Structures are given as C-alpha cells and as structure tokens.
Amino acid sequence: TKPYGAKVYHRHLDQDYAAQRNFALSKATKDWVLFVDADEIVTPSLQQEILNVTTTNTNIEGFYLYRQDVFLDKVLQYGETSQVTLLRLARKNSGRWARPVHEIWNISGPTEKLHHPLIHQPHATISKFITKINFYTNLEAQYRIQQQEQFSLIKLVLFPPLKFFHNYLFKLGFLDGFPGLVMAFIMSLHSLILRVKLYEK
C-alpha cells in the first residue's frame, strides 16, 4: 500500500481476470513478478524462499506455489482445494495471462515448485462463499458458452454427485472433519450451479 512506498493503480474489473493481471504485469518494473490475491498471505518463510530463488542466477523462468486453504478455521489437508499449485512467480517478460476466469499464466521456459505454502483464507463466512460461487459461475458459464460448450443433462445429473464423492472419499476430505464435509458439498453445489447457468444461457 502507499504508506509502504507502493505504487497503487486502479482499474475497473471488466469481468476478465486475465486482462486485469496483464494490466498489472505491464506496470511491473522489476525482472521478477509475484501475483498475490487479497485473500492470500505470504509467510516470512515463503518470502525468504522467494528472495533466495529470484536472486540466484538460474535459467528457471517461473515458480509454482503450493496454496494451503483455510476453511472454517481449519487448514485443509485433503480434498481438491488442498492440493492446488499455481504459477504465481515468474520473470516479467516470460509470458501472459489467459482465460477470463480461473486464469492461468502461460509462460515459456522451465519452471520449478517452491516448498513453502501460500496461505489462502478465501471465505470468512459461508454466506460470502456462496456469493463468490454465484459470481464465478456467471463468468465461467459465459466463458464456456464462448467456447461453444453446450448444456448437457447427463453432466447435470452426474457431475455434482461425482464431485462430492471425488472430494469427500477419493480425495479423503472426510479426514478434514466437518470443514471437509462442507467443502465437498459446496464444490458439488458449484458444479450444479454452473451447469444450470449453462442451461439458462
């Protein structure tokens, strides 16, 4: 923020997160760029690791970060959200962001993975979680329509329950206790809402 000497740029979000990130990328002035969302925390250990890898002469163009989810005051160890790795640290000129939602950083060149996690605390309350799902499924449905994806009744019937069992049983979400159970249900709900919106559109 400004009190710490940061330059702050304001840009209206036009429902294209890749465009937002590419705008930020164009404003960066250093060789390496780290992307962090407002609900993510860089721990001191991760900070030190980033400093170490970016000051070492290497041919690596980017680094994946393991993101550790915190939900209902519990660090999730299981389920699909507990095993997310994201390319968030890379040389400025190594590539561009793509996809309007669930965006990815497409870079050229070799990559590696950092060891210390990026802490992710995205859902302060269940109400805010559901609000986010509604917002993101709007964007995802619109993107899929642009990609010529058609509504499928079979997917509507099969995918939501399969998503639940995938997270709760196959990905061992039940070992996370009550938060793991709720997360499995919500991921299933996300799948259902997305496909209903494809039908609506």
Side-chain angles (χ1 to χ4, degrees):
T1 59
K2 290 182 179 179
Y4 294 95
K7 290 183 179 179
V8 179
Y9 296 92
H10 296 275
R11 181 181 185 273
H12 176 68
L13 178 59
D14 55 3
Q15 295 195 344
D16 186 335
Y17 281 88
Q20 199 80 345
R21 291 189 186 272
N22 284 325
F23 170 79
L25 193 61
S26 71
K27 299 300 181 182
T29 59
K30 302 298 182 181
D31 293 336
W32 287 90
V33 180
L34 171 68
F35 280 89
V36 181
D37 292 343
D39 56 10
E40 296 170 341
I41 300 171
V42 176
T43 63
S45 56
L46 177 58
Q47 176 190 8
Q48 188 58 55
E49 186 177 13
I50 290 171
L51 291 173
N52 290 341
V53 298
T54 55
T55 54
T56 303
N57 188 13
T58 176
N59 66 336
I60 300 301
E61 291 292 320
F63 290 90
Y64 283 86
L65 278 67
Y66 161 60
R67 195 168 71 176
Q68 193 170 64
D69 259 30
V70 179
F71 179 59
L72 296 179
D73 297 324
K74 180 180 178 59
V75 176
L76 298 183
Q77 302 291 337
Y78 304 95
E80 66 179 275
T81 62
S82 71
Q83 302 173 16
V84 173
T85 55
L86 303 166
L87 184 64
R88 289 292 192 80
L89 175 66
R91 298 182 191 273
K92 177 185 176 182
N93 298 319
S94 60
R96 301 271 294 172
W97 287 88
R99 292 186 100 258
V101 62
H102 303 309
E103 62 281 7
I104 55 175
W105 198 354
N106 290 324
I107 69 169
S108 57
T111 61
E112 287 186 356
K113 183 179 176 182
L114 297 184
H115 299 289
H116 293 93
L118 179 70
I119 306 302
H120 187 217
Q121 298 178 310
H123 316 298
T125 66
I126 194 68
S127 296
K128 291 183 178 180
F129 196 175
I130 293 173
T131 299
K132 264 189 175 180
I133 288 175
N134 189 46
F135 176 72
Y136 281 113
T137 50
N138 279 340
L139 298 182
E140 181 69 22
Q142 188 60 47
Y143 172 73
R144 293 193 182 202
I145 288 171
Q146 291 171 356
Q147 300 300 308
Q148 308 299 317
E149 180 174 336
Q150 300 295 319
F151 167 77
S152 168
L153 182 61
I154 294 176
K155 290 181 179 180
L156 175 68
V157 173
L158 292 181
F159 278 30
L162 287 176
K163 175 68 77 170
F164 173 82
F165 288 115
H166 174 76
N167 276 283
Y168 195 64
L169 297 178
F170 182 73
K171 290 290 186 179
L172 306 179
F174 65 91
L175 294 177
D176 280 324
F178 181 70
L181 175 64
V182 176
M183 179 60 75
F185 271 120
I186 289 180
M187 297 305 291
S188 174
L189 178 64
H190 183 285
S191 179
L192 173 67
I193 292 174
L194 172 61
R195 282 160 182 83
V196 173
K197 287 183 177 181
L198 281 174
Y199 172 79
E200 286 182 331
K201 294 178 181 297

